[in-house]
Amino acid sequence: MLVVTGDNMTSELLRNAFAHGRKGFAVETMTGSSQKIIGSLAAHKADVALISEDLQDGPQAGVKVLERLRDSHRIPAIMLLQGPKPERVVSAFRGGARGVFYRTHSLKALSKCIRAVHQGQIWASNEDLEHLIRALTHTKPIQFNNSEGMPLLTRREEEVVHLVADGLRNREIAQKLKVKEHSIRNYIYRIFDKLGVSSRVELILYAFSQRDQGN
């Protein structure tokens, strides 16, 4: 696990907590500004990243690190938030987080969160999902059909969406559909573009909305 924070104290507290209280976790830490951390990401290999929303260059600087992990390193990430502010939750998921976790919650809960995200699941409370749904309804609506009323997604793209919603990772989806993993990444990029979404969480909400409509 890679822990990214703005100060050494938080990093060391988390490292020591996992070292003494939780088995099965190997923790690396990075501290500093978003620019410094982004410049050093290539030297760190991790299964999951835990990123503080606030880094040395200011509030929500952690979102910049999230976006780089999403675009270049493809490490599933959790955003560590001070509290459940709706705009922070939405910003984290739009930046590519697979989960959000609050500093007030327990280390036991954090362990469960990390394991869930490592297994390809989304970690979000009902309240977090409400924030996301509300944000989606107040922005450009997801379009299911084009201007001629035809479905935007091909049958294979719809298969990919439903497998993402089931919590499968790209590698697992590729194995299930008997294609290369890079083909799944390409499918997902095309799906994002067609539906006007920017994250797997929004894609999952799309899948749920389709199921609610009986598709």
Side-chain angles (χ1 to χ4, degrees):
M1 179 176 70
L2 177 63
V3 174
V4 176
T5 68
D7 63 279
N8 289 320
M9 181 178 292
T10 301
S11 289
E12 287 307 307
L13 284 172
L14 286 167
R15 185 207 295 270
N16 291 334
F18 278 100
H20 295 103
R22 297 287 150 186
K23 294 181 180 180
F25 289 91
V27 179
E28 291 187 66
T29 62
M30 298 179 70
T31 60
S33 67
S34 58
Q35 183 176 4
K36 174 186 174 183
I37 290 165
I38 287 170
S40 303
L41 281 174
H44 294 267
K45 303 298 181 183
D47 295 316
V48 178
L50 177 66
I51 303 171
S52 175
E53 61 177 329
D54 299 336
L55 300 177
Q56 287 182 1
D57 47 333
Q60 288 206 287
V63 175
K64 299 175 185 177
V65 179
L66 265 179
E67 291 171 343
R68 177 56 64 90
L69 284 173
R70 177 195 65 196
D71 295 338
S72 302
H73 299 276
R74 306 191 188 285
I75 298 173
I78 301 158
M79 181 65 94
L80 183 62
L81 301 175
Q82 295 284 355
K85 294 182 178 179
E87 67 276 9
R88 297 293 181 96
V89 172
V90 173
S91 178
F93 281 113
R94 285 194 181 280
R98 299 298 303 276
V100 293
F101 191 84
Y102 302 109
R103 288 177 181 265
T104 54
H105 291 178
S106 69
L107 181 64
K108 182 178 180 180
L110 178 57
S111 300
K112 290 181 179 179
C113 171
I114 293 166
R115 288 194 174 98
V117 168
H118 182 238
Q119 292 167 4
Q121 301 173 33
I122 300 296
W123 185 272
S125 68
N126 288 337
E127 183 180 6
D128 298 330
L129 291 175
E130 286 291 337
H131 297 327
L132 289 170
I133 292 169
R134 194 173 299 116
L136 287 174
T137 58
H138 286 84
T139 56
K140 185 178 70 172
I142 296 173
Q143 298 296 317
F144 303 138
N145 301 307
N146 63 20
S147 58
E148 298 175 349
M150 299 297 292
L152 286 171
L153 302 183
T154 65
R155 186 178 297 275
R156 176 48 63 91
E157 287 168 347
E158 288 183 358
E159 286 183 291
V160 171
V161 170
H162 290 302
L163 291 171
V164 169
D166 287 339
L168 274 65
R169 291 181 165 189
N170 288 357
R171 182 177 63 255
E172 295 166 328
I173 296 172
Q175 291 170 349
K176 194 171 185 67
L177 298 181
K178 297 180 172 57
V179 298
K180 300 291 186 181
E181 186 175 349
H182 71 81
S183 297
I184 299 302
R185 288 198 296 269
N186 291 337
Y187 276 126
I188 290 176
Y189 286 138
R190 288 200 297 271
I191 291 165
F192 279 9
D193 184 59
K194 287 182 177 182
L195 300 181
V197 301
S198 58
S199 73
R200 291 175 86 98
V201 172
E202 291 183 2
L203 192 57
I204 289 168
L205 291 174
Y206 163 83
F208 288 161
S209 69
Q210 289 291 80
R211 289 172 183 174
D212 290 342
Q213 293 176 29
N215 293 337

